[in-house]
Amino acid sequence: ELKVEQNPLFLSMQEGKNYTIYCNYSTTSDRLYWYRQDPGKSLESLFVLLSNGAVKQEGRLMASLDTKARLSTLHITAAVHDLSATYFCAVDGGGGADGLTFGKGTHLIIQP
Amino acid sequence: DTGVSQDPRHKITKRGQNVTFRCDPISEHNRLYWYRQTLGQGPEFLTYFQNEAQLEKSRLLSDRFSAERPKGSFSTLEIQRTEQGDSAMYLCASRGGAQFFGPGTRLTVL
């Protein structure tokens, strides 16, 4: 059974600081995804990582993938309040199904 | 707006009633997915379709749950004899590279 673990599950940080969210998964997978979810809202796609060593950046967010370590990171640079949200990583596969297996999410609060 | 749409956005029902939710995917996407999300958790995969074929349904939570996509366009998710534990957000997604999620249907079972 595919398992996806994120840490930390909760993070409170100040504006201007840097931090990293970690996502570990238990079996080989083709793709890793990062999503953002605001309270009461649906999920917004941030990044799709397709291969070992993939790195993608959008604004203050940068995601990377190490398939050998089965690890992805989401790095936040110089955080701003607008980045406060819950961030999920998700992996393809698990039991032969094509659905995504999600982590529990990292609830991020960025304080002025 | 050409994103994934879901209807209704909110549904309140009494225990034992049947409910049906609709999802309209992005038009050029032939894969459609249903997920359930409970408070404080990540979405949980339920089932998916490629065109009209339901290729995975073993993850449906019980035999009270069923889904259809009769013409390969919109899909419906039905829950029969609802229980309070069915209260959750039901999300639909369609795939083009990433999976793009709709706004969800929030179900409350009283």
Side-chain angles (χ1 to χ4, degrees), chain A residues 49-66:
Chain A
L49 302 171
L50 300 177
S51 61
N52 188 44
V55 177
K56 290 195 174 181
Q57 184 165 2
E58 181 71 34
R60 300 174 187 273
L61 301 178
M62 183 174 70
S64 66
L65 178 62
D66 181 344

Side-chain angles (χ1 to χ4, degrees), chain A residues 31 33 35 37 40-45 47-48 88 92-105, chain B residues 6 9 31 33 35 37 40-45 48 56 59 89 91 95 97-104 106:
Chain A
R31 303 183 184 201
Y33 305 78
Y35 287 89
Q37 187 174 38
K41 305 293 186 182
S42 189
L43 285 86
E44 174 190 355
S45 177
F47 301 108
V48 181
F88 291 96
D92 257 334
D98 199 36
L100 298 180
T101 300
F102 281 80
K104 289 188 175 183
Chain B
Q6 292 187 245
R9 297 289 302 278
R31 289 191 173 187
Y33 304 79
Y35 292 82
Q37 186 177 24
Q41 300 295 317
E44 177 184 13
F45 170 61
Y48 90 101
E56 174 59 56
R59 304 290 187 90
M89 176 79 87
L91 295 164
R95 183 165 185 171
Q99 290 189 19
F100 294 92
F101 284 81
R106 183 168 295 282

Side-chain angles (χ1 to χ4, degrees), chain B residues 9-10 33-34 38 40 53 60-61 66 70 74 76 80-81 84 92-93 96-97 99 102-103 105 110:
Chain B
R9 297 289 302 278
H10 303 274
Y33 304 79
W34 285 98
T38 54
L60 288 168
L61 300 165
S66 63
F74 73 91
T76 57
Q80 295 183 329
R81 304 182 303 282
Q84 287 185 325
C92 173
Q99 290 189 19
T105 295
L110 302 176

Side-chain angles (χ1 to χ4, degrees), chain B residues 16-32:
Chain B
Q17 298 295 305
N18 299 344
V19 294
T20 300
F21 310 140
R22 176 178 170 130
C23 171
D24 287 86
I26 295 170
S27 58
E28 59 266 31
H29 292 174
N30 58 16
R31 289 191 173 187
L32 184 151

